[in-house]
Amino acid sequence: LGRPGGSPVSTTTRRVSPCKMLRLALLCFGLVACVRASDIDHCCSAADVRIVQTQWKTLWKDTESSKVKAGVGKLLLLKLVEKHPEAAAVFKDVNIATPKSPEFTGHAMRVMNGLDMAINLLSDPDALDRALDHLSDQHLARAGVKKEYFRTFGEILNAGLPKVLDKYNEMSWKSCLRGVLRKIATKLP
Amino acid sequence: MKWFLLVVVLVGYVAADDDIVCDSLARIKVKNQWNRAYSTGKDREDFAQALWRAIFAIAPEARKLFTRVRGDDVTTPEFKAHSERVLAGLDVAINLLDQQEALDVALAHLAKQHDARNIPDSYFDVFLKALQSVLPAQLGRCYGPLTWKACFGVIARGIRG
């Protein structure tokens, strides 16, 4: 009883499957295109950019924002080193061993300003591309910096930003930062 | 008598101008005004463009320092990215004005980046002059040129080494 009943079903499945395959293929293609599309097009839409820029801006409102910025920058980098202890060697020259040191404070500010520049250039993709390319070269010149640090850094940002930003649209941030971090890490091992 | 008073007042005014130093109050003022002028997103891009146009208008020959980043055309993405990098560096310095130790280290870092480029000292004056012409356009009347001169001097001296 099972066999005759089973065969039409399997024929139907077989007849449907090329269509399904095509759909799957299209979906995959679409996803790949989305992932591969240079940095920010439909994966970080104009609306996403506006959301990210507006939400990010609140962090820099006050005159004393340098202390907030440096503090947040330090936390991000320390978290990174906590997850990749071997990365501490990369930050040896900026005295990560003493987080309160002026060297590390200055470095945290530079990192935050790099991020700030990228976010503010999201609305000008061509200029952003050149800025990120430059950052990419600067990271390539530092021995020991790896691609995976940027993946982790993205995760740290995604976990940390909602703690300091009152408004945080995760999808917009993720889609825009993914392109930024990937582009900076593109030349790294 | 009236003339005498006027002269006294004028002399006092001039003396006061020279007296402005980049003390902690001046630094707060500059930080505040910078944050407003620097702004964000598209406005920041426009600010950067205006500043660099002013720089090249004052010193056209300075363009040759920027051939690697398309200094011949400030509207190219290469130059836009470069101009924002420079402003980001200045932003770090200005925002650290109230943390002297970290400021010193940041300026030393900028000095190292500028060392190899053989920038004539006069270009720092050009930069200030350009800044002085663009800032009031950004800020309107709430802008203190002498305070800026004093505090930009601190930063320029640090970068020149």
Side-chain angles (χ1 to χ4, degrees), chain A:
Chain A
L1 253 173
R3 229 178 281 157
S7 81
V9 172
S10 72
T11 351
T12 330
T13 327
R14 225 179 295 140
R15 240 189 294 139
V16 168
S17 82
C19 184
K20 238 188 184 169
M21 287 256 289
L22 184 70
R23 255 197 306 191
L24 247 175
L26 274 176
L27 184 68
C28 282
F29 183 73
L31 276 178
V32 168
C34 183
V35 169
R36 290 190 55 188
S38 62
D39 304 300
I40 48 151
D41 24 44
H42 53 291
C43 284
C44 172
S45 67
D48 287 330
V49 168
R50 215 165 32 242
I51 289 169
V52 166
Q53 287 182 342
T54 311
Q55 296 181 346
W56 175 249
K57 210 156 57 176
T58 58
L59 202 57
W60 312 68
K61 218 167 30 190
D62 299 323
T63 309
E64 292 313 302
S65 60
S66 62
K67 284 173 187 145
V68 177
K69 270 181 266 178
V72 172
K74 283 179 192 181
L75 281 176
L76 295 173
L77 294 176
L78 289 172
K79 200 92 185 161
L80 178 71
V81 168
E82 192 186 301
K83 297 206 169 153
H84 299 280
E86 79 283 3
V90 173
F91 300 104
K92 208 179 65 175
D93 287 349
V94 291
N95 207 356
I96 195 168
T98 318
K100 283 194 172 163
S101 64
E103 291 84 4
F104 194 58
T105 304
H107 188 71
M109 284 286 280
R110 277 194 294 277
V111 171
M112 287 297 277
N113 256 17
L115 197 57
D116 179 59
M117 176 173 66
I119 289 171
N120 277 288
L121 280 176
L122 281 172
S123 34
D124 186 341
D126 287 340
L128 174 67
D129 210 52
R130 299 312 192 283
L132 295 181
D133 195 50
H134 187 94
L135 281 174
S136 175
D137 286 338
Q138 286 181 323
H139 284 89
L140 185 64
R142 304 264 164 222
V145 182
K146 292 187 200 143
K147 254 197 183 82
E148 58 173 316
Y149 297 166
F150 283 86
R151 211 170 309 134
T152 308
F153 195 70
E155 288 161 16
I156 293 169
L157 274 175
N158 192 45
L161 285 174
K163 292 181 189 163
V164 287
L165 300 178
D166 289 337
K167 284 186 181 155
Y168 182 76
N169 185 325
E170 184 166 357
M171 290 316 285
S172 298
W173 275 91
K174 267 187 163 171
S175 68
C176 291
L177 278 185
R178 190 186 290 134
V180 166
L181 294 174
R182 180 172 293 145
K183 175 86 195 198
I184 299 175
T186 180
K187 295 173 190 167
L188 298 171

